[in-house]
Amino acid sequence: MSALTPQSDMPTPTTDKITQAAMETIYLCKFRVSMDGEWLCLRELDDISLTPDPEPTHEDSWEDLTDVVEQLRDDSEDPNYLMANERMNLMNMAKLSIKGLIESALNLGRTLDSDYAPLQQFFVVMEHCLKHGLKAKKTFLGQNKSFWGPLELVEKLVPEAAEITASVKDLPGLKTPVGRGRAWLRLALMQKKLSEYMKALINRKDLLSEFYEPNALMMEEEGAIIAGLLVGLNVIDANFCMKGEDLDSQVGVIDFSMYLKDGNSTKGSEGDGQITAILDQKNYVEELNRHLSATVNNLQAKVDALEKSNTKLTEELAVANNRIITLQEEMERVKEESSYILESSRKATKDRSADGQALTEARKQLKEETQLRLDVEKELEAQIGMRQEMELAMKMLEKDVCEKQDALVALRQQLDDLRALKHELSFKLQSSDMGVKQKSELNSRLEEKTNQMAATIKQLEQSEKDLVKQAKTLNSAANKLIQKHH
């Protein structure tokens, strides 16, 4: 800041202008940046126009200026005031970064990769937001600040985040916590769950207090606002290959030139912008509709295959039941025959009138029947175990079929919603086309009326010329008559 001593050859700045200029200036990373609507403009206090007011200056204007500057200097030295300014600046940068990323991605119309400049700047801004107010942990190598610790908590709050946390830990090229945190942000964006994870993390201030200061961005309402803004990134498709990317040694520097306001840029007509936005939404909905239709068809095919498998297993179960019944009948018959043989052998033993050879044959037959009975019982037990396994498999298949049917119903509901949205967008597009047609018809009518008026003007000019000629003729005739009378 330049010296504030008044110069005799310069007009004295007024208190209102200096106060307004100071209030318009925000501080981010010890750089001075000014907000102009939704854009950032680099501005120094020396560059502010300090022209005098048309009103007469008061004698105490310089004293008021000195008081204001001293007050601003005292506020700037307050740590809470500086932290609040940093939070506000980071939130504004996050707004600009997310807005620019969404608009450029929609205009680009393809899957984004890690070389895309607005995407790189978004991750830099997110890294600054996560580092704001981070407590330093003391280690044997010194103090270390890393936002990987808070991100590890997400898998405890949202079970779906455990997959990307495990993937980050398994990446071989990452050696520092900063690199793991950067990889986690990229995987969460690819998963389209970054906003959900950040909201779950911000809602647990009791866990974040271990890592952040009380006035850090993640502990204040600015963090919740940024988490809400991240919902818009779910429309972006991103694909990163992090195996060969060096995430440990990257330097996260915010490129303000991407967000500076261009004074020569002119905005297009609002109608064309709305039509373009409607067409983009329509194309996105149609693409999503095609993906959902393909998913529904795949699930329907899987359900049909499961139903066929279910029918086949039902038939096999019926055959197995019939075989079990047949084996049970054979076992009963064998029991009856063996009991009959035993009774006959007992009678033969009591009477002692049977021949020894017949008794030996009876015993041999009894052993064969007993062995046959044991074999039948073993086969029956095997069939019963197979039947139980088939019943369990049937229950699991029925449960799977029910789950697939529920998922199919949910997807059909989403498909109906998307069709309704598509219909609504088509209606809006038709109404926009009708408005354009009405405007073109009105322009054609105005052109016809203009042509008619031009023709009328030509006729009036022609009639005026004729009247002038007639007046000249009458004047000449009158002059002749006057001459005759004379």
Side-chain angles (χ1 to χ4, degrees):
M1 215 173 150
S2 62
L4 294 177
T5 57
Q7 303 291 333
S8 60
D9 57 347
M10 291 179 63
T12 302
T14 61
T15 305
D16 295 335
K17 280 188 171 291
I18 292 296
T19 304
Q20 182 180 1
M23 293 302 292
E24 288 177 353
T25 304
I26 61 178
Y27 295 87
L28 179 64
C29 300
K30 299 182 181 180
F31 292 98
R32 188 167 294 165
V33 184
S34 294
M35 294 299 299
D36 185 6
E38 296 179 351
W39 296 87
L40 285 176
C41 294
L42 298 176
R43 182 185 301 175
E44 293 183 359
L45 192 58
D46 294 338
D47 297 333
I48 300 171
S49 177
L50 300 178
T51 57
D53 286 338
E55 300 178 357
T57 58
H58 299 285
E59 295 179 356
D60 58 346
S61 61
W62 185 251
E63 296 177 357
D64 295 338
L65 171 62
T66 306
D67 294 337
V68 171
V69 170
E70 291 295 331
Q71 183 179 359
L72 290 174
R73 184 178 296 172
D74 294 337
D75 291 340
S76 63
E77 292 175 357
D78 186 10
N80 294 329
Y81 180 78
L82 293 176
M83 292 290 284
N85 277 336
E86 290 175 0
R87 290 199 305 270
M88 183 62 67
N89 298 335
L90 287 173
M91 184 183 71
N92 291 329
M93 283 304 304
K95 286 182 181 178
L96 292 175
S97 177
I98 293 170
K99 180 181 177 182
L101 178 58
I102 293 174
E103 290 177 354
S104 60
L106 291 178
N107 293 332
L108 193 63
R110 62 178 177 83
T111 302
L112 306 182
D113 53 12
S114 58
D115 295 330
Y116 193 55
L119 196 59
Q120 293 178 353
Q121 283 300 303
F122 164 74
F123 287 124
V124 172
V125 173
M126 285 300 301
E127 183 176 343
H128 278 80
C129 293
L130 290 170
K131 285 182 177 179
H132 183 260
L134 197 64
K135 293 181 180 179
K137 290 188 175 182
K138 295 182 179 179
T139 61
F140 65 95
L141 296 176
Q143 292 184 350
N144 182 21
K145 287 186 177 182
S146 173
F147 56 94
W148 170 241
L151 296 181
E152 279 188 303
L153 297 176
V154 178
E155 64 177 345
K156 299 179 181 179
L157 305 176
V158 184
E160 297 175 3
E163 182 180 355
I164 62 173
T165 304
S167 300
V168 168
K169 293 179 179 179
D170 293 336
L171 285 175
L174 300 178
K175 299 179 181 179
T176 63
V178 176
R180 296 188 187 96
R182 292 169 177 170
W184 190 94
L185 289 175
R186 285 158 173 76
L187 291 176
L189 184 63
M190 281 196 294
Q191 201 180 17
K192 296 185 178 182
K193 294 291 184 67
L194 182 58
S195 174
E196 180 181 350
Y197 296 158
M198 294 301 294
K199 285 181 181 178
L201 187 61
I202 289 172
N203 290 334
R204 296 297 302 272
K205 299 290 192 304
D206 53 341
L207 298 178
L208 290 177
S209 61
E210 181 182 356
F211 301 93
Y212 290 99
E213 300 291 342
N215 51 1
L217 184 139
M218 295 292 289
M219 302 293 290
E220 298 291 342
E221 62 179 2
E222 286 85 355
I225 294 173
I226 294 175
L229 293 174
L230 293 175
V231 177
L233 298 179
N234 293 339
V235 301
I236 296 176
D237 294 325
N239 187 14
F240 306 109
C241 182
M242 290 175 292
K243 289 185 177 180
E245 189 173 0
D246 186 11
L247 298 176
D248 292 326
S249 60
Q250 288 183 1
V251 180
V253 179
I254 300 176
D255 186 8
F256 293 103
S257 62
M258 297 180 63
Y259 311 105
L260 292 179
K261 185 177 180 180
D262 187 5
N264 298 325
S265 63
T266 58
K267 295 182 179 179
S269 61
E270 295 181 359
D272 295 339
Q274 292 178 357
I275 292 174
T276 303
I278 291 173
L279 289 174
D280 291 338
Q281 292 177 2
K282 181 174 177 291
N283 294 331
Y284 174 73
V285 170
E286 288 179 352
E287 185 67 22
L288 188 58
N289 190 5
R290 284 194 292 270
H291 285 298
L292 287 175
S293 299
T295 306
V296 169
N297 293 330
N298 292 332
L299 288 175
Q300 188 66 41
K302 289 181 180 179
V303 169
D304 294 337
L306 288 173
E307 289 178 353
K308 291 180 181 178
S309 178
N310 191 6
T311 305
K312 185 177 180 181
L313 288 174
T314 304
E315 294 175 356
E316 291 178 358
L317 182 61
V319 172
N321 290 331
N322 294 330
R323 182 167 179 81
I324 289 171
I325 293 172
T326 305
L327 290 174
Q328 288 177 350
E329 292 176 354
E330 290 180 358
M331 188 175 67
E332 294 294 334
R333 183 176 58 80
V334 169
K335 286 181 179 180
E336 292 178 355
E337 291 179 355
S338 61
S339 61
Y340 176 74
I341 292 172
L342 286 172
E343 291 178 357
S344 61
S345 63
R346 287 174 183 174
K347 291 179 179 179
T349 304
K350 290 179 180 180
D351 295 338
R352 294 181 180 179
S353 57
D355 191 26
Q357 187 177 0
L359 183 58
T360 303
E361 291 178 357
R363 289 178 178 174
K364 186 177 180 181
Q365 187 177 2
L366 178 60
K367 289 181 180 180
E368 292 176 356
E369 293 292 338
T370 303
Q371 186 65 32
L372 180 61
R373 177 183 176 183
L374 294 174
D375 294 339
V376 170
E377 287 179 352
K378 289 182 180 179
E379 188 175 357
L380 180 61
E381 290 177 356
Q383 291 293 333
I384 291 173
M386 188 183 296
R387 178 181 177 182
Q388 291 177 353
E389 291 178 356
M390 293 178 70
E391 288 177 353
L392 182 60
M394 284 289 296
K395 290 180 180 179
M396 294 178 65
L397 283 174
E398 289 176 356
K399 184 178 179 181
D400 193 8
V401 168
C402 292
E403 291 178 354
K404 298 293 184 183
Q405 288 177 351
D406 293 338
L408 186 61
V409 170
L411 287 173
R412 285 177 177 171
Q413 183 65 31
Q414 292 179 3
L415 187 60
D416 293 337
D417 295 339
L418 288 173
R419 286 176 178 170
L421 181 58
K422 178 183 176 183
H423 180 69
E424 183 179 355
L425 290 174
S426 300
F427 179 73
K428 288 183 180 179
L429 184 61
Q430 291 177 359
S431 62
S432 300
D433 294 338
M434 290 177 65
V436 173
K437 289 181 180 178
Q438 290 177 359
K439 289 181 180 179
S440 60
E441 291 177 358
L442 183 59
N443 289 330
S444 61
R445 290 178 185 175
L446 290 174
E447 289 178 357
E448 290 177 359
K449 288 183 179 181
T450 304
N451 295 329
Q452 291 177 1
M453 291 178 68
T456 305
I457 289 170
K458 289 181 179 179
Q459 291 178 0
L460 290 174
E461 290 177 351
Q462 186 65 33
S463 62
E464 183 180 1
K465 291 179 181 179
D466 295 338
L467 289 173
V468 170
K469 289 180 180 180
Q470 291 177 5
K472 289 181 180 180
T473 305
L474 290 174
N475 287 329
S476 63
N479 292 327
K480 289 178 181 180
L481 289 174
I482 291 170
Q483 291 174 2
K484 286 181 180 181
H485 284 296
H486 287 292

